[in-house]
Amino acid sequence: MCVSKDNEDGQDSHQQGPREACGVVAVYGVDNAALTLYNGLFALQHRGQEGAGMVVSDGKILHTCKGMGLVSEVFTGDFAEHLPGRIGIGHVRYSTTGASKTVNVQPFLAECRDGMWAIAHNGNLVNAGELRDRYQKQGAIFQTTTDSEILLHQLADPSYFGQRDRIRAALAELCGSFAFVIARPHCVYAARDPWGIRPLSLGRLGKGHVVASETCALQQIGAEYVRDVNPGELIKLDENGVKSLRFADVPVGGYGQCVFEQIYFARPNSHVFGQSVYMTRMAIGRTLAQEQPCDADVVVPIPDSGVLAALGFSHASGVPFELGFIRNHYVGRTFIMPTPQSRRSSIDLKLAVVPEAVAGRRVVVVDDSIIRGNTIQKRIEALRCAGAREVHVRIACPPTRHPCYFGIDFPEANDLVAAGRTEEQICALCGADSVGYLSLDGLKSTLTGAEHYCYGCFTGRYVCGTEHVVCKHALERSGLDQLEERHHRYGVMMQ
Ligand code: SF4
């Protein structure tokens, strides 16, 4: 999979860190669904910048608009006038399964025997390959190379039609992480996987309702937070309000909320899994300072992801906080730059050292994680070039030694710098004076309900089966590339 702050080929976009696999929003009964979805997706932009889309119901027909790029690039001009209605779903994409191309941008829309359905998905279905194979043997034709499309085929599957609730039957067959939003002409649904790996929250907006990957989207829309969608729960939003249904029991091994949402992915003004991200990151920084103290003159964050942990570290240690790196917000998306060289130099342009903050000083650099190790190496070099006397690295999570199969774009284990290495070896490789990680117990001490979290990328123990894992490009077929040619941003895509 392609990315992180440590990305060798430079496919680093706005964020620096492991990548999230999308964000979803659903609205029911709101005044202008298209504009409400736009605001919600805008707030979730950090979860995916490759593509964005929405589907809005006019009460009879589902209309869609989607394309590659940022929310503000995809939805332009009077787009909302083409999407009238009070019901809809939206999606921002970062690909973890399926290539980065227009045909894979969600929501996906289909006309089934009983009318139109649209779906949007955050997560990764580890049994997608197996299910896809089953449908292809029956003659099904897939339009995309994503794992998410499976759900549409299940919903269209005649064998489910006799069942009173075929959505629940379909969801119960899926393994892996998912936060799904589903649109029909008269209602929307939202569902969260039985392990609760990805977050999903429900809010109220006037007489209507909103569901979103993070509460920051509810805040942006002006909706009031009601509660999280529970793991294994399917909710239906229609004229009767909110109806809660279960499609799965609590898993035998318990829940597995992704701890990286707290460490890195979620926006600090969100609450995920019932906990303030801002407060969690501050607590992580304080715990890190207690566990990995350092005799230093300044604490410097790697922006933006290390800022709160560095602040917490500074508060607990008494070492002054300084902005030793300044981020350039105008570099643009490096993944669209034509050559690896131009992408690499663009990454170098993103963070500039402030010599006045670090020259002649012993510096503690705080970051959220180290993935491949080459980016932190460059940052250490830059600090030394600017005159830092010592450079100590402190990391706000345990060593990342295992891949993630649930929607976070980590490299294979061989590419993870911490895999098979001690902290001393990592320190030598990065060129730091010392490297210190937060312990797993230290991380757990900052979490409410720590037993309900997944720590798989630290421990190698995952919450659900990974035997049928699908890698990012496993579902690619060359013929599908041709489909992309037929999809134009406001031509074919506006239906
Ligand atoms: S393996 Fe790591 S990144 Fe993946 S879901 Fe678990 S905690 Fe999150």
Side-chain angles (χ1 to χ4, degrees), residues 18 177 197-198 256-261 263 265 400 402-410 453-463:
S177 62
I197 300 172
R198 295 283 145 241
Q257 302 164 147
C258 174
V259 76
F260 250 96
E261 294 279 356
I263 297 166
F265 298 120
T400 308
H402 306 272
C404 172
Y405 301 109
F406 306 113
I408 303 308
D409 207 354
F410 281 173
Y453 279 83
C454 169
Y455 306 97
C457 44
F458 309 130
T459 63
R461 291 190 298 278
Y462 300 99
V463 290

Side-chain angles (χ1 to χ4, degrees), residues 199-223:
L200 196 60
S201 298
L202 171 68
R204 190 179 294 111
L205 182 62
K207 290 183 179 164
H209 285 92
V210 180
V211 175
S213 292
E214 284 181 42
T215 60
C216 66
L218 304 182
Q219 186 185 2
Q220 182 86 38
I221 287 168

Side-chain angles (χ1 to χ4, degrees), residues 1-7 11 17-19 94 372 409-411:
M1 309 258 178
C2 58
V3 115
S4 77
K5 59 179 141 233
D6 303 307
N7 186 11
Q11 291 191 348
R19 293 305 160 79
Y94 173 74
R372 292 177 198 263
D409 207 354
F410 281 173

Side-chain angles (χ1 to χ4, degrees), residues 1 50 66 68 93-106 108 121 123-125 128-129 132 136 141-153 470-484 487:
M1 309 258 178
E50 287 183 11
K66 56 186 182 176
M68 298 292 287
R93 177 167 201 256
Y94 173 74
S95 56
T96 50
T97 303
S100 176
K101 53 188 181 181
T102 311
V103 74
N104 287 338
V105 177
Q106 301 186 28
F108 298 141
H121 172 215
N124 218 38
L125 305 176
R132 189 175 169 113
Q136 284 180 322
I141 296 169
F142 281 76
Q143 299 290 313
T144 77
T145 55
T146 69
D147 55 340
S148 317
E149 192 187 345
I150 288 292
L151 181 63
L152 269 187
H153 288 265
V470 169
C471 73
K472 181 169 179 174
H473 297 290
L475 305 179
E476 301 299 326
R477 297 286 186 278
S478 59
L480 283 168
D481 291 338
Q482 294 162 18
L483 276 174
E484 191 178 2
H487 287 70

